[in-house]
Amino acid sequence: MEFCPKCGSRLEPKKSKSGREASLVLACPKCGYKKPENSVAIEPKVAKVIQHNPQQFVAVISKEEQKLNTLPTVRVECPKCGNNIAYVWQVQTRGADESSTQFLRCTKCNYTYRECS
């Protein structure tokens, strides 16, 4: 992809006829700039296959990172230990037209429970 040096628009390929011969020219649709014929190279595109290692896509979370408390908290009583603070997050566990399920995890005993609404 090339751009016009005058106005910055994208140059588009156009057929140019000179006598009986036709050639390819890159032309600007805005200002009419044409890139000279001898500088336009028509090269076949070659596909490049990239092999990815499956381990590149695996996210490893260490024990220290798991201890980071990044979830929002709410004041609600834990049914197991009676603590008043819990982490909260929501997951769409049922159909898209139904409300999401709210999960809570106690900050003291790590008991996880849910509230269906």
Side-chain angles (χ1 to χ4, degrees):
M1 186 180 310
E2 294 188 39
F3 297 94
C4 177
K6 292 182 179 180
C7 68
S9 295
R10 185 173 58 93
L11 295 178
E12 297 177 353
K14 301 279 182 182
K15 287 186 181 178
S16 174
K17 292 184 180 180
S18 57
R20 294 182 151 210
E21 293 183 16
S23 61
L24 185 65
V25 176
L26 292 178
C28 178
K30 264 188 172 178
C31 69
Y33 168 81
K34 290 185 179 180
K35 189 168 182 178
E37 295 177 21
N38 56 3
S39 64
V40 177
I42 302 172
E43 298 177 10
K45 299 289 182 185
V46 178
K48 185 177 180 182
V49 178
I50 300 172
Q51 295 290 336
H52 291 284
N53 184 353
Q55 291 178 343
Q56 291 175 326
F57 300 113
V58 176
V60 178
I61 300 173
S62 67
K63 292 287 184 185
E64 291 130 14
E65 290 169 332
Q66 289 177 5
K67 291 179 184 176
L68 293 174
N69 301 328
T70 58
L71 292 172
T73 57
V74 293
R75 290 190 174 271
V76 64
E77 187 175 343
C78 174
K80 192 171 183 182
C81 71
N83 185 30
N84 288 331
I85 301 175
Y87 299 115
V88 63
W89 68 95
Q90 292 184 350
V91 179
Q92 189 71 36
T93 56
R94 298 180 297 254
D97 59 337
E98 296 184 31
S99 62
S100 57
T101 303
Q102 184 170 334
F103 287 90
L104 299 127
R105 179 175 293 143
C106 178
T107 56
K108 186 176 179 182
C109 69
N110 283 334
Y111 177 67
T112 303
Y113 54 103
R114 65 179 162 202
E115 286 183 351
C116 297
S117 51

